[in-house]
Amino acid sequence: MTVTEITPLDKRRSKVVLDEDFALALYNGEIKRYHIETGEELPEETYREIMEEILLKRAVERVCYLLKSSDKTEQELRKKLKDGYYPGEAIEYAIEFLKKHRYINDEEYGRRYVEYHSTKKSKRQIQYELQRKGLSKEAVSDILEEHPVDEEAQIRDYIRRKRLEPEAMTLEERRKAMAALGRKGFSFETVDRVFGSKYSDDGAF
């Protein structure tokens, strides 16, 4: 592998680019210790030593540190490591370490997420956010079957907090309130059912 570029990331670390499309981050002292220089070859044995003695351990330390602040899905942790210029081998090693020790479980994460947000977010919004975090559509559906979201209760709570009186609202006031709930992911049918009557002929927000 040829070192094609060494770019500072901060005062202590630099990005080492190998063969123009493969990068890893090392401390400047490590770069000096292994005699890594732009335009020079990085021997395979040196690369293996860096991987096994530094990067594998550092990747595990990094994901454990990230999990201390908040729960994260496998996809989120992979992205964090990739953004930190950890090679794929180090990423896989760190993720497998977490799974082996049961530090991550996407389905358990999803259950905790639903339990925490089921009184604050619509079913559609929860589905979108969990899938964006890496959970499959099927896994999210199963979790929501186990832990149903009471959307009608959320809408009634919204009406109370906003001090709305649906029966006394004008057509335009009702339209605005229902549209606001629609943007939060609540279906027209559910909102309409709680408000008690339709405000338009086309059945859309």
Side-chain angles (χ1 to χ4, degrees):
M1 291 179 283
T2 302
V3 179
T4 58
E5 183 183 342
I6 299 177
T7 306
L9 293 172
D10 51 42
K11 292 182 179 180
R12 303 172 61 199
R13 301 178 306 138
S14 294
K15 178 177 68 173
V16 178
V17 181
L18 305 172
D19 295 336
E20 297 185 354
D21 62 354
F22 178 67
L24 49 89
L26 293 172
Y27 286 99
N28 296 330
E30 294 165 346
I31 292 173
K32 290 180 180 179
R33 186 199 318 166
Y34 289 104
H35 308 290
I36 300 173
E37 297 180 8
T38 302
E40 299 293 327
E41 288 293 314
L42 181 66
E44 179 64 24
E45 59 270 23
T46 301
Y47 174 77
R48 291 311 314 167
E49 182 177 345
I50 292 172
M51 178 65 68
E52 293 168 10
E53 297 298 322
I54 297 175
L55 297 177
L56 297 183
K57 297 174 184 178
R58 191 169 290 164
V60 170
E61 291 173 355
R62 179 60 178 161
V63 290
C64 288
Y65 173 80
L66 290 169
L67 287 173
K68 282 184 180 180
S69 58
S70 64
D71 281 348
K72 289 180 175 59
T73 62
E74 178 179 335
Q75 177 176 290
E76 289 175 315
L77 290 170
R78 285 181 179 276
K79 185 177 186 306
K80 288 285 187 181
L81 289 176
K82 186 177 180 181
D83 290 346
Y85 300 106
Y86 285 90
E89 182 179 346
I91 295 174
E92 293 301 326
Y93 181 86
I95 295 299
E96 285 307 311
F97 175 89
L98 294 179
K99 288 182 176 179
K100 179 180 178 181
H101 294 279
R102 299 181 180 179
Y103 292 152
I104 57 170
N105 182 311
D106 280 2
E107 290 190 7
E108 285 301 320
Y109 175 95
R111 291 187 183 95
R112 290 193 297 271
Y113 188 93
V114 172
E115 288 173 4
Y116 183 78
H117 292 287
S118 61
T119 60
K120 306 172 185 177
K121 296 185 178 183
S122 66
K123 179 180 177 181
R124 187 179 301 170
Q125 188 174 8
I126 289 173
Q127 286 175 319
Y128 169 77
E129 292 180 357
L130 284 178
Q131 287 181 232
R132 186 172 58 84
K133 289 173 177 289
L135 276 74
S136 69
K137 183 177 181 180
E138 294 74 19
V140 176
S141 294
D142 289 343
I143 292 168
L144 286 169
E145 280 189 19
E146 295 174 20
H147 304 279
V149 176
D150 190 344
E151 293 191 323
E152 290 192 12
Q154 289 189 51
I155 295 169
R156 287 193 293 270
D157 183 61
Y158 177 89
I159 291 172
R160 284 194 298 271
R161 285 188 289 105
K162 295 293 184 179
R163 297 181 180 179
L164 303 178
E165 297 181 18
E167 65 281 358
M169 296 170 73
T170 65
L171 185 66
E172 183 59 27
E173 289 171 340
R174 183 181 291 263
R175 185 192 300 272
K176 288 176 64 176
M178 297 176 78
L181 287 163
R183 289 192 292 272
K184 293 178 180 290
F186 297 101
S187 69
F188 171 83
E189 290 76 16
T190 305
V191 175
D192 179 66
R193 188 161 56 247
V194 176
F195 269 71
S197 63
K198 295 185 178 180
Y199 72 92
S200 67
D201 295 328
D202 58 8
F205 285 113

